[in-house]
Every structure is written in structure tokens, then in C-alpha cells.
Amino acid sequence: MSRLDGKIALITGGARGQGAAEAERFAAEGATVYISDVLDDAGRATAHRLGDSVTFLHHDVTSEADWEAVVGGIAAAEGRLDILVNNAGILHMARSLDTSLDDWNRVIAINQTGVFLGIREAGRLMKVQGSGSIVNISSVAGLSGVGVAHAYSASKWAVRGMTKSAALEFSRSGVRVNSVHPGIIDTDMMRDSGVPEPAAGVPVGRAGTADEVANVVLFLASDESSYCNGQEFIVDGAMTA
Ligand code: NAD
């Protein structure tokens, strides 16, 4: 018996990085996994690498129509959706004084509105099923302020708030909603951030890996976490300790 046997999962932003690592872990634990992303070539390549139980879907998380098509398509094909990982996100390194309204709106649209649409579309289906686990990927930037990433931090605090609100909303429906707060994780996002030596201030002395985040997301996606709801799970090498 594997940890996600028979479960149907959707992971946004799953073409690479943490989302791809989560897809690999989920598939190894018996789930049927849909990864969605705007990076079509990378998404198809990841699905191909991970095998028959992983399918790529084109999906811009800022688009209401895309969400309806993706969740509706999975429901039509599988009859249910057990797990949603709202993982898609972008990093924007800029102080408030250097953030244009266009940049603000882009960060909020992907990191915050995308999560709202996911909670709404998957939540509707899960509520009818009477079960489901939604895992929202926030950040340590959703636990404290980040002077050099104003919009990003705002969006990740919003994810934390939406997680708690949705957990309360769905608490009698068998649907759980939790947030995960990675610290410095070695993915393309961090490599492309322009931050010199991003892991320099991490107490354990290194960046985390995508697999180390995926292990926590797997626990929250599975029934092992059945009494965890509306809470924050921090994966940061003691950064916020
Ligand atoms: P990543 O850049 O490798 O992956 C993010 C994925 O999201 C990419 O594949 C990207 O194409 C996708 N994406 C971006 N915009 C999208 C959109 N509009 N619709 C659909 N997909 C979209 O980075 P990652 O580190 O794997 O990030 C995963 C999550 O973890 C993000 O939410 C990020 O904010 C969060 N996070 C990352 C770190 C870190 O240090 N890497 C730390 C804390 C939190």
C-alpha cells in the first residue's frame, strides 16, 4: 500500500523545480498526477520523464477560463480531484519604492489570484466529494517581511491568510487546506533571482532541495495528515527559528 494509492492530484507550476519534484514523489506513491504550467515544452518533457501516471496540461493560473478547463477536464476524466498543490509562483526582487504597478499586478495575479482561483475551483469539487487536500505554497516571505521583495512578500502573506480562511470555510466538508513555507530552495527561481549567495544566511549552512519540500507536501497531501488543517509547515533549515 503506497501513501497516495488511487489519489488524483493536480500540481500547478509543475514543469520544473519544486512542482516537478512533488509530481515525482506523488507518482512514486501511487497517485495519478496532472502537472500544469505555462512552460509547455518543459511541462511535456517532465511528464514524459516521470511516466504514464503523469500528464501535462497547459494552464495559466491567472486565467479563470484555464482553471475551469483544467479542473473540469480532470473531473470529467477521473471523476474526482483529491489533491491540489497551488505551487505556481514567480519571485520579484524589488523594494516598494522600485515596484511598478504593472509588476505589482503581475505578482499578485500569479501568486495570489492564482491561488484563490485554485481554492475556488478545486474546493467546489472537493466539497461535493466530501474530501480533499489543498496545499498552498507560500514562503518564509509569508511569515515575516522582506524589505527587498515587497510584492512577493505581500502575495505570500495573502496565501497564508487564504489558507486559514479556506480551512475554516471547508472544515465541516472533509476538505483540508494547509500552507507550506519554504526558505531558500535550490531551483531555477532562486538561481535566476540575482541574489548573490542566497544560502549565506541560512543557519544549517546550505539551501534546501526541491525534494525536501516535496516530502512535506506529500505528507500534507496524504491521509497521514488527516488532523492537520489551516496550518503552516515551514521547510527552511532553521532560517526563521
Ligand atoms: P520555479 O521557478 O522553478 O517554478 C515555478 C513554476 O511556476 C515554473 O515552472 C513557472 O513556469 C510556473 N509559473 C509561473 N507563472 C505561472 C502561471 N501564470 N501559470 C502557471 N504556472 C506558472 O520555482 P520553485 O522554486 O519551484 O517555486 C515553486 C513555488 O515555491 C513558488 O510558489 C515559489 O514562490 C515558492 N517558493 C520558492 C522558494 C525558493 O527558494 N525557490 C522559496 C519559497 C517559496
Side-chain angles (χ1 to χ4, degrees), residues 156-172:
K156 293 300 187 180
W157 274 82
V159 170
R160 186 177 168 206
M162 289 189 288
T163 299
K164 293 185 186 303
S165 300
L168 293 170
E169 177 183 349
F170 295 126
S171 58
R172 298 289 173 119

Side-chain angles (χ1 to χ4, degrees), residues 7 14 26 32 47-48 90 98 113 117 126 148 150 165 225 235:
K7 304 259 194 208
F26 284 19
T32 297
H48 182 71
I90 57 167
D98 302 322
T113 308
L117 291 171
M126 290 173 173
V148 293
H150 186 79
S165 300
S225 56
V235 191

Side-chain angles (χ1 to χ4, degrees), residues 21 37 70 120 131 161 181:
D37 210 297
V70 165
R120 194 186 69 185
S131 67
H181 299 258

Side-chain angles (χ1 to χ4, degrees), residues 12-19 36-39 59-62 86-90 110-111 137-140 152 156 182-190:
T12 68
R16 67 183 194 188
Q18 295 173 50
S36 72
D37 210 297
V38 289
L39 298 179
H59 180 194
D60 179 345
V61 295
T62 68
N86 274 315
N87 166 78
I90 57 167
I110 296 171
N111 293 5
I137 308 302
S138 176
S139 167
V140 292
Y152 184 77
K156 293 300 187 180
I184 304 295
I185 308 301
D186 184 23
T187 65
D188 287 328
M189 177 179 283
M190 196 45 69

Side-chain angles (χ1 to χ4, degrees), residues 93-109:
M93 297 297 297
R95 299 169 191 273
S96 64
L97 300 186
D98 302 322
T99 300
S100 69
L101 183 57
D102 280 350
D103 284 339
W104 169 269
N105 285 337
R106 188 169 51 92
V107 172
I108 298 300

Side-chain angles (χ1 to χ4, degrees), residues 116-134:
F116 153 65
L117 291 171
I119 290 171
R120 194 186 69 185
E121 292 310 307
R124 217 192 296 280
L125 183 59
M126 290 173 173
K127 191 174 174 186
V128 173
Q129 284 170 194
S131 67
S133 175
I134 298 175

